[in-house]
Structures are given as structure tokens and as C-alpha cells.
Amino acid sequence: MISIDNLSKVFHSRDGAKVFALEDVSLTVGDNEFITIVGPSGCGKSTLLRLVSGLIQPSSGSVAIDRTIVIEPRQDTGIVFQMPVLLPWATILDNVLFPLKMLGRDVTGGIVKARHLLNMVGLGGFEQKYPRELSGGMQQRAAICRSLIHNPSVLLMDEPFGALDALTREEMALEVLRIWTEEPKTILFVTHSITEAVLLADRVVVMSPRPGRIAEIIDINLPRPRTFEIEAHHEFQKAAQRVRGLIFGNRDEQQTSS
Amino acid sequence: MSSKPPANFWRRTNMGQDVLLPISVFLGLLVIWEAAVQLFNIPVYLLPAPTVIWTETVAIASTIGNHTLATLGTVVVGFFISFAISLPLAVFMTSSPLISSAIYPLLVLTQSIPKVALAPILVVMLGANELPRLVITFLVAFFPLVIAIAVGLLAVPDELIELGRSLKASKFQELYRIRLPYAVPFIFSGLKVAIALAVVGAVVGEFVNADKGLGYMIITATAFFKVPVAFGALILLSIMGVVLFQVVVIIERIFFPWSAANQENTIA
Ligand SMILES: Nc1ncnc2c1ncn2[C@@H]1O[C@H](COP(=O)(O)OP(=O)(O)O)[C@@H](O)[C@H]1O
Ligand SMILES: [Mg+2]
């Protein structure tokens, strides 16, 4: 369980001005819950994920995972960025095994799991290839395998499909759902796609900028397993409409106030 | 790190275009040179014909061979000293912005000193032996290398560093598991520049003070108007430069094929 309590983060920009990246954000995420986070650029989505990962520390408030306050990166957290950032000198297999090596765990013992993960995302047979020999989508699949190799119970994904084309994106979304079904874990998933957000989530967190806040949390009561056919579902339409309203409503406000 | 050369190891060696074409152009130029010298009766101290250079150089083959080895020694040792100092220096420099801003101006200062002017002073300071030559070689070669390595160490994407930190990497692990390997292609571009500069540095050192070496040979040969021998030494220096450069290229291809391949992608 992740408990985010009155979390705030202030950055000091170089000219001394304060940037209120997050202000007073509270959210409780249950075990194996799938949370998606949407909101305009700069509303603190990445900051929220980095706080949960322990890469940065809050200005006030706290993040706790399983009742332990996060003060540094934890071994049971996996991260996927927008860019795959694979190691160019390592094969795909070695890239997937990289976290085990860094954490000082049994690398040879992880090979079976790595192969299993690669097979699951359709990269079976690419183990000995180098990243540059793979397309962007394939590299991102490998990066997802890398984030899962050490069996994290929390997976943080920051716009993981942001750099992919629309078709690959849809495929990948379904793949993430499949992985989550096969290996349940708590997922915080940042996206710019409203469709993606509703399709994947148990709950969609909509954020608003300046200061970064949670505008609303929307429960998605759609049956699982889900495919893109569910887009036609009345409930889906309603939720997507609501998210859209929150985001664009926000924009209108900004326009009138500035 | 895998050291198996990729299947396309020799792919770039397209015999027709990459080897035969430049060789025939080169031979063609030699023929024109030879013909011009014969035709216009150019005196040998102005421009010796290729055949004259060849015969006069071959005539003293064993002497010139010793001189070549002497220069080669200075170049290679100077080059290794440059690398051995540049690598830790670049790591140190990039470890914090503060250290970098403290050291960088000093490095630039060393580069603004004309090495040719410094050479005689170094001889006085360090004595008439191999040492000043090595120091000159080092001073000429190391700067681009430090810069290349430092740029490489800083070129790692932020996300990769964050990934390392999220996996609880220590500063040392971050360096040798992420930053250093990431810098390998940069290090090799630096090494390629450095090896060429090391040849220049060694010759400058030999010009100022030496009793052997190809630079010394050029000085003495020209003093006695033995221009063909000076040309022979010059050609040997060029060949040495090309061969050493290729050695660096081949070492990269064999031990870091992924790095060489990445560079091929960007150059070719
Ligand atoms: N390291 C930092 N230093 C200064 N400002 C930052 C830093 N990281 C983020 N910010 C600022 O905080 C705000 C939120 O950023 P971010 O969390 O990246 O937003 P998002 O991911 O939603 O686009 C932005 O205004 C951004 O400029
Ligand atoms: Mg972001």
C-alpha cells in the first residue's frame, strides 16, 4: 500500500523563484491497484513519481510504502521512463538483467525470468541483440522487462509510451495490462492519453498545474480483462468525458485569468 | 563485455572503392610528381623525385629504422601517459561542477602555451634526455583527450543516472557501470585525435633536443642538404601516424564493437 500524505514539493529555480511543483497532494493506493495519472505538462506528475520512487525528497508531507516512509530508493520499486535508456554496450538480455547486477542479486538465476519476460513482450529471440538493432517500441518493451526483473511490488511508469507511434502504443497498453494480470503489482502510470488512462486504470488521478494538485480522482468501474472495444462502453465514455472536462476546464480558467 | 567481432567486421572494407581507388589515385600522383621533377629539372634540394627519395632512404635503411623506433617509442609512451592522466583527470573534473570550474581554466591555460616555445625551457628544466620529449608529447596530446572523456562522462542521459540511483548504485558503481562504459565511444574519438597529436608532439620534442628519432633526422638531414632523406623521414612519420590511428580503430572494433558500430551509424 502506498500512502501519500499532504505531499508538497517546492523547487528553487536558478533565479531564486520558487516553483510549487506539488502542493498538498494526498492519495492512498491499495495493493495491486492500477492508478493512471493525467494532467497538463508541468502539473507535477513526474515529480510525484520521483517522490514515490525516493529519488527526491518532499519539501513537506510524506510518502510511505507498506507503512515505511520512503527516504531513499527502495529495492521493491521498478521505474520505466519515457525514453527506454538501455545500455548501448549491453545485449538486450544483459540490459534486462542490469537491475539484478546493480542490486547485487543472483544474475544467473535471473536469466530464466528475464527470458520469460522477454517472451511475454514478444522479444523472444532478441536476447543477444544490441539496443540499436531494435525499434523504439521494442526497446521500450525491453525497458519494461528491465523494470520487472527484480520483482518490484510497485511499478512507476512515467509516460512510458510517450515516444511511440499510435499503433505501437495501443499494443503496448494491452501488453502492460497482460503483464499486470500475470504479475499483479501496484502501478502508478503517467500518460497524456485520456483513452489510455481510462482503459488501464482502476482509478484515474487528474492533476492541475500551478501549483500541482489533484483535481479529481475518478473511479473506473469497467469489467476486466479490458480491450480497446471497451471504448464503446457507456461508462468508458462518461469517464473519458469527465477527465477531458477537468483538463480543458482548467485550460479555460488559465486563459481567462492570464 | 562481449569481445566477439560482429559479422560485418570487414563490411566497410569494400575492396574496389575503399582500397583500390585511393591507392591508384596515390600512385597516379607519384607518377605526376616524378614526371614533373624530370620534366622541369627541379633541383633535388627543392623537391626530390620519389625515386630519389626511395633510393636514398633505402640506402640507410637500418639507421632510419632505429630512428623510427626511437620516435615510435616516444609517441607510444607519451600517448599512454596522456591516457593514464586524462582518464582520472576527466573523472575528477566531472565529479562536481565546483571542481570542474576550478580546473578547467588551468587546462585551457596549458593549451594556450605554445608547446614549441616551451620545449627548450623544458629541456633546461628536465635535462637533455627522453623526459622533456615525453612531457611535450603529453602536453600536445592530452587536452583533447581530457575534454572528450569529460564530455562522454557527462553525456549519460539523466534517466540512466536516475535508474542507477533507483537501483541504489553507489557513486563508484555509477561511474564504472554506467558513466565510463557510456563514455567509451567518446574516449575512442579522443584517443584517435590524441594519437595523431602524439606524433606531432614527439617530433617537436625531437626538433628541440634529441640525438635520435625521425624529427632529429629531419633537422640533421636538412642541415646537410640531404633533402631526400628528410623527405623519407617525413613519409615514415606520416605512415606511423596512419598506422597508429588504425591500431586505435581496430582495438575499438575488437574490444568495443558496439561503440565502433554506433560511430559507423553516425558517420557513414
Ligand atoms: N529539478 C527541478 N528543478 C526546478 N524545477 C523543477 C524540477 N523538476 C521539476 N520542476 C518544475 O516542477 C514543475 C512540475 O514538473 P514535472 O513534475 O516534471 O511536471 P510533469 O511531469 O507533470 O510535466 C514544472 O514547473 C517544472 O518546471
Ligand atoms: Mg513529466
Side-chain angles (χ1 to χ4, degrees):
Chain A
M1 193 178 75
I2 306 175
S3 319
I4 298 167
D5 277 315
N6 301 96
L7 192 64
S8 298
K9 180 69 186 178
V10 183
F11 288 110
H12 299 271
S13 61
R14 224 164 292 172
D15 54 16
K18 287 183 175 179
V19 181
F20 293 88
L22 277 185
E23 196 169 86
D24 210 15
V25 168
S26 295
L27 174 70
T28 305
V29 183
D31 282 341
N32 302 335
E33 197 177 0
F34 202 133
I35 298 285
T36 56
I37 302 168
V38 282
S41 291
C43 68
K45 306 180 296 290
S46 298
T47 303
L48 179 61
L49 252 54
R50 290 167 78 224
L51 283 163
V52 175
S53 72
L55 282 168
I56 56 173
Q57 293 306 308
S59 304
S60 66
S62 67
V63 177
I65 296 178
D66 298 333
R67 296 210 188 79
T68 314
I69 304 280
V70 177
I71 49 165
E72 57 174 359
R74 296 163 55 100
Q75 300 213 8
D76 58 0
T77 306
I79 303 185
V80 182
F81 302 98
Q82 180 171 355
M83 288 298 159
V85 287
L86 299 173
L87 312 172
W89 58 89
T91 60
I92 295 303
L93 183 65
D94 286 340
N95 264 290
V96 174
L97 293 169
F98 182 69
L100 298 182
K101 199 183 252 179
M102 292 304 273
L103 293 171
R105 298 212 198 142
D106 176 16
V107 175
T108 356
I111 291 178
V112 174
K113 163 110 180 166
R115 286 185 191 282
H116 170 73
L117 286 169
L118 285 168
N119 279 328
M120 195 158 67
V121 300
L123 285 180
F126 288 88
E127 289 88 350
Q128 297 308 322
K129 296 259 187 248
Y130 284 86
R132 73 190 136 79
E133 300 174 278
L134 270 59
S135 70
M138 290 158 97
Q139 290 190 23
Q140 191 61 306
R141 287 186 167 93
I144 291 174
C145 294
R146 175 179 65 187
S147 73
L148 296 169
I149 187 73
H150 56 297
N151 282 319
S153 54
V154 175
L155 187 56
L156 306 172
M157 308 181 87
D158 194 352
E159 297 183 44
F161 309 149
L164 303 179
D165 63 87
L167 290 179
T168 314
R169 229 185 139 117
E170 296 200 347
E171 232 177 280
M172 298 279 282
L174 298 179
E175 225 146 73
V176 166
L177 277 181
R178 201 145 40 80
I179 292 170
W180 178 66
T181 317
E182 199 173 309
E183 297 188 16
K185 49 189 86 260
T186 313
I187 298 184
L188 298 189
F189 185 107
V190 172
T191 174
H192 271 134
S193 154
I194 294 172
T195 314
E196 212 166 79
V198 178
L199 172 80
L200 295 173
D202 294 320
R203 286 188 291 160
V204 179
V205 174
V206 184
M207 293 184 64
S208 63
R210 278 171 293 268
R213 284 198 171 137
I214 294 181
E216 197 169 312
I217 300 174
I218 299 165
D219 288 305
I220 309 294
N221 296 312
L222 286 166
R224 293 190 187 267
R226 297 180 192 164
T227 63
F228 275 92
E229 273 142 45
I230 215 162
E231 266 187 83
H233 201 290
H234 169 68
E235 186 75 17
F236 188 104
Q237 299 284 341
K238 219 174 73 183
Q241 210 53 50
R242 181 82 193 121
V243 175
R244 208 165 278 129
L246 283 163
I247 292 174
F248 289 104
N250 244 323
R251 250 182 226 172
D252 289 344
E253 256 169 53
Q254 271 167 36
Q255 270 161 9
T256 46
S257 69
S258 61
Chain B
M1 230 162 275
S2 154
S3 60
K4 189 167 63 81
N8 61 2
F9 188 72
W10 300 110
R11 186 181 54 89
R12 275 168 65 84
T13 322
N14 174 339
M15 280 305 277
Q17 196 178 326
D18 292 348
V19 179
L20 296 181
L21 188 62
I23 286 181
S24 21
V25 169
F26 179 69
L27 290 178
L29 284 174
L30 280 186
V31 170
I32 293 173
W33 179 356
E34 182 80 33
V37 171
Q38 307 272 356
L39 202 64
F40 302 111
N41 258 324
I42 300 174
V44 73
Y45 61 87
L46 277 188
L47 183 67
T51 47
V52 177
I53 295 173
W54 173 258
T55 44
E56 298 220 3
T57 306
V58 169
I60 52 165
S62 76
T63 324
I64 212 166
N66 286 336
H67 288 301
T68 307
L69 284 181
T71 304
L72 185 64
T74 308
V75 171
V76 171
V77 175
F79 173 75
F80 276 110
I81 293 175
S82 305
F83 184 47
I85 293 180
S86 298
L87 189 64
L89 190 59
V91 168
F92 184 61
M93 263 179 69
T94 53
S95 61
S96 94
L98 195 70
I99 295 173
S100 166
S101 41
I103 295 182
Y104 187 72
L106 288 178
L107 284 187
V108 175
L109 193 67
T110 67
Q111 285 316 288
S112 62
I113 301 170
K115 255 64 75 185
V116 186
L118 184 65
I121 300 173
L122 280 175
V123 173
V124 175
M125 287 167 63
L126 304 171
N129 51 38
E130 177 74 6
L131 195 56
R133 292 193 286 277
L134 289 177
V135 172
I136 295 289
T137 307
F138 159 75
L139 283 175
V140 171
F142 92 107
F143 184 71
L145 192 50
V146 175
I147 299 303
I149 300 175
V151 168
L153 292 172
L154 293 177
V156 185
D158 292 341
E159 287 98 336
L160 205 50
I161 296 299
E162 291 211 321
L163 178 76
R165 291 213 289 123
S166 82
L167 296 167
K168 310 179 80 68
S170 63
K171 271 281 162 209
F172 181 65
Q173 280 180 312
E174 179 184 305
L175 180 67
Y176 91 102
R177 284 223 196 274
I178 299 175
R179 284 195 194 272
L180 271 180
Y182 208 92
V184 163
F186 296 83
I187 295 177
F188 269 94
S189 359
L191 288 175
K192 285 171 203 166
V193 177
I195 194 74
L197 289 176
V199 176
V200 176
V203 172
V204 168
E206 288 172 355
F207 276 179
V208 174
N209 167 265
D211 49 11
K212 54 186 190 314
L214 291 170
Y216 161 79
M217 243 199 125
I218 291 174
I219 294 283
T220 49
T222 46
F224 294 101
F225 286 96
K226 289 197 269 181
V227 177
V229 173
F231 265 89
L234 189 66
I235 290 165
L236 279 171
L237 277 173
S238 319
I239 294 173
M240 187 189 293
V242 171
V243 169
L244 288 174
F245 184 90
Q246 286 305 320
V247 168
V248 175
V249 169
I250 288 170
I251 288 176
E252 181 179 19
R253 276 200 206 168
I254 291 177
F255 292 102
F256 305 98
W258 57 271
S259 165
N262 280 0
Q263 285 188 8
E264 269 175 39
N265 286 348
T266 50
I267 295 168

